[in-house]
């Protein structure tokens, strides 16, 4: 299709190519849209093309996909339950398009922000990128999972294909636009956001179904007329214009990166302080729960309230001094059997930080008491349910640190699943190993803090089998 505007600056040619690849096992149909400007005068340079309206119309009419992600004309919200799925999309090796994620400023209505700011900033990205708005409820878990690649405070981040979430230097490949830039000039912000996806669309090789087709141009691009010197002068002017634009963009990026760095320094400082507060809070909660338990038991013993309200001494737990000591003291726990690699667990002593050791011992005490109760039919469900109930008051463990299953991505990946096939006695399983997806978060939510994987055999054998206590096993984020 050719369109000539009334101002006669030239002709815009739009080419739509639709092809199903008969060799594709998934029977995918590929769609390509090319926009080309043909100047009216032979010595003029082609103008930069904006995203055509037909791209938005196609996305509104079709179920378009890029790898695991849906490609839509307007951004979708990432809710808390969507974080794992979006991370899978980010790490998808078949992804061709950037994923652009906009955050919402603190104390701003997400719907109003998306409509007034984000949609304007995303106006040139239809068909060039996968578009998301990160809801405030999902921001903490999303940034915790991405660790080195966060987005927050009303900023917008462009995640290019081939992301490496575990490598800090990779973060520099994925540019961030600050809230200040988004609000200062929405039209300029939209143009800046579209520049990188447009370059990727021109630079990336086409998929096989489209690459085998001839170039869809009715005639070659017009050449500048005049002498060889005039042609070189025209090319030089074009290159100078591109260089000026690149330098201006680089200056903007440098300023935004500097602002982001300052924000990150403040965030890291706050995170460090919060970590200390959380550790202190964890210890206070555990101590308070033990004191409540002591009071309840005391009340039952004396049968009257007066003595029960006397100030009690909080029952103390004698924690192991090292993870090596923890392994030795496992014999104190009659309903926990350790079947894992002792060397891996002892290795935590060389990197143990914060309160890992205390949390690990609390976890084992809770598992021991759970298994004892389960063997006698005294539990109404699994370990997570037990942690949420009053039955766990003697040795409580935070339910938020309990995960009874792995993600579907881990379960379907043969290598990741294999790491979680952990040893058990032959009478538990003939193969002497089971898939231990139930695990406890001994440290924080990042990919470095240790995990404890276990198999619940208490109803059958009266034992919980701990098959692994060590650094976080591999998943899509590590």
């Amino acid at each position: 299709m050719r369109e000539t505007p009334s101002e006669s600056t030239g002709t815009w040619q739009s080419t739509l190519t639709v092809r199903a690849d008969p060799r594709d096992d998934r029977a995918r149909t590929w769609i390509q849209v090319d926009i080309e400007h043909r100047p009216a005068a032979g010595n003029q340079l082609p103008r930069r093309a904006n995203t055509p309206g037909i791209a938005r119309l196609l996305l509104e009419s079709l179920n378009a996909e890029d790898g695991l992600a849906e490609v839509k004309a307007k951004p979708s919200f990432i809710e808390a339950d969507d974080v794992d799925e979006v991370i899978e999309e980010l790490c998808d090796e078949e992804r061709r398009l950037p994923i652009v994620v906009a955050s919402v400023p603190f104390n701003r209505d997400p719907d109003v922000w998306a409509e007034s700011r984000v949609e304007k900033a995303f106006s040139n990205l239809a068909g060039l990128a996968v578009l998301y708005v990160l809801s405030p409820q999902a921001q903490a878990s999303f940034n915790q999972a991405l660790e080195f690649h966060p987005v927050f405070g009303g900023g917008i981040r462009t995640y290019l294909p081939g992301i490496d979430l575990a490598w800090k230097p990779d973060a520099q490949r994925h540019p961030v636009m600050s809230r200040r830039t988004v609000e200062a000039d929405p039209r300029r912000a939209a143009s800046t956001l579209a520049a990188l996806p447009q370059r990727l669309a021109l630079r990336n090789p086409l998929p096989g179904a489209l690459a085998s087709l001839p170039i869809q141009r009715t005639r070659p691009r017009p050449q500048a007329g005049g002498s060889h010197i005039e042609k070189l002068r025209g090319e030089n002017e074009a290159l100078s214009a591109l260089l000026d634009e690149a330098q201006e963009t680089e200056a903007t990026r440098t300023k935004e990166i500097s602002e982001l760095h300052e924000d990150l320094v403040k965030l890291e400082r706050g995170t460090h302080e919060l970590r200390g507060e959380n550790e202190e809070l964890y210890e206070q909660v555990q101590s308070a729960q033990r004191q409540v338990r002591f009071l309840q038991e005391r009340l039952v013993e004396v049968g009257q309230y007066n003595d029960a309200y006397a100030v009690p001494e909080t029952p103390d737990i004698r924690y192991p001094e090292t993870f090596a000591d923890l392994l030795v003291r496992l014999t104190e726990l009659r309903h926990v059997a350790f079947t894992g690699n002792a060397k891996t667990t002892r290795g935590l002593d060389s990197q143990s930080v914060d309160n890992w050791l205390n949390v690990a011992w609390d976890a084992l005490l809770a598992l021991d008491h759970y298994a004892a109760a389960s063997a006698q039919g005294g539990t109404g469900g699994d370990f997570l349910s037990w942690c949420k109930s009053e039955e766990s008051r003697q040795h409580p463990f935070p339910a938020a640190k309990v995960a009874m299953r792995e993600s579907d991505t881990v379960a379907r990946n043969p290598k990741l699943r294999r790491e979680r096939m952990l040893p058990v006695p032959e009478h538990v399983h003939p193969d002497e190993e089971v898939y231990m997806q139930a695990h406890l978060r001994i440290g924080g939510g990042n990919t470095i803090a240790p995990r404890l994987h276990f198999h619940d055999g208490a109803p059958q054998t009266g034992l919980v089998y701990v098959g692994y206590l060590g650094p976080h096993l591999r998943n899509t984020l590590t």
Side-chain angles (χ1 to χ4, degrees), residues 5-24:
S6 57
E7 60 269 21
S8 299
T9 57
T11 300
W12 290 98
Q13 176 175 296
S14 305
T15 305
L16 172 64
T17 307
V18 182
R19 188 181 188 191
D21 189 353
R23 300 167 298 178
D24 191 342

Side-chain angles (χ1 to χ4, degrees), residues 249-374:
T249 302
E250 181 65 21
T252 303
R253 294 290 186 217
T254 301
K255 182 179 179 182
E256 291 174 356
I257 289 173
S258 177
E259 294 172 355
L260 177 63
H261 177 70
E262 293 176 2
D263 292 340
L264 285 176
V265 169
K266 294 177 183 177
L267 180 64
E268 288 174 357
R269 187 183 303 118
T271 301
H272 179 74
E273 294 172 356
L274 183 61
R275 182 185 295 124
E277 292 173 2
N278 284 341
E279 291 164 13
E280 183 179 355
L281 180 61
Y282 174 84
E283 294 173 359
Q284 289 175 356
V285 169
Q286 294 294 88
S287 176
Q289 288 178 324
R290 288 194 293 271
Q291 186 167 336
V292 168
R293 184 181 69 250
F294 181 86
L295 284 168
Q296 291 171 333
E297 293 173 353
R298 179 71 172 158
L299 181 63
V300 172
E301 289 175 4
V302 300
Q304 58 183 3
Y305 288 96
N306 293 337
D307 292 341
Y309 280 104
V311 178
E313 293 182 6
T314 303
D316 291 328
I317 293 179
R318 188 172 63 88
Y319 287 100
E321 297 180 1
T322 63
F323 277 97
D325 182 31
L326 178 147
L327 292 174
V328 173
R329 291 187 55 191
L330 281 173
T331 55
E332 300 174 14
L333 310 180
R334 294 187 303 154
H335 298 278
V336 173
F338 182 76
T339 61
N341 188 317
K343 182 178 179 181
T344 300
T345 302
R346 284 194 294 268
L348 292 174
D349 285 328
S350 64
Q351 55 183 306
S352 181
V353 296
D354 303 330
N355 58 347
W356 289 358
L357 188 60
N358 289 4
V359 176
W361 188 246
D362 284 337
L364 291 166
L365 288 175
L367 286 171
D368 182 61
H369 282 261
Y370 161 76
S374 180

Side-chain angles (χ1 to χ4, degrees), residues 369-382 386 391 456 459:
H369 282 261
Y370 161 76
S374 180
Q376 298 173 5
T379 60
D382 58 14
W386 187 81
E391 298 169 335
D456 184 3

Side-chain angles (χ1 to χ4, degrees), residues 131-192:
L131 310 176
Y132 284 119
V133 177
L134 184 61
S135 71
Q137 294 78 12
Q139 180 172 299
S141 57
F142 182 85
N143 287 335
Q144 186 179 52
L146 267 66
E147 194 168 3
F148 301 127
H149 304 70
V151 59
F152 51 86
I156 299 175
R157 189 155 201 164
T158 301
Y159 296 96
L160 301 180
I163 189 172
D164 188 344
L165 298 182
W167 192 39
K168 189 173 183 178
D170 179 68
Q172 299 178 11
R173 294 181 52 242
H174 312 279
V176 179
M177 176 175 286
S178 68
R179 172 187 177 182
R180 186 181 307 169
T181 302
V182 174
E183 292 185 309
D185 190 342
R187 186 172 181 179
R188 182 178 177 83
S191 177
T192 303

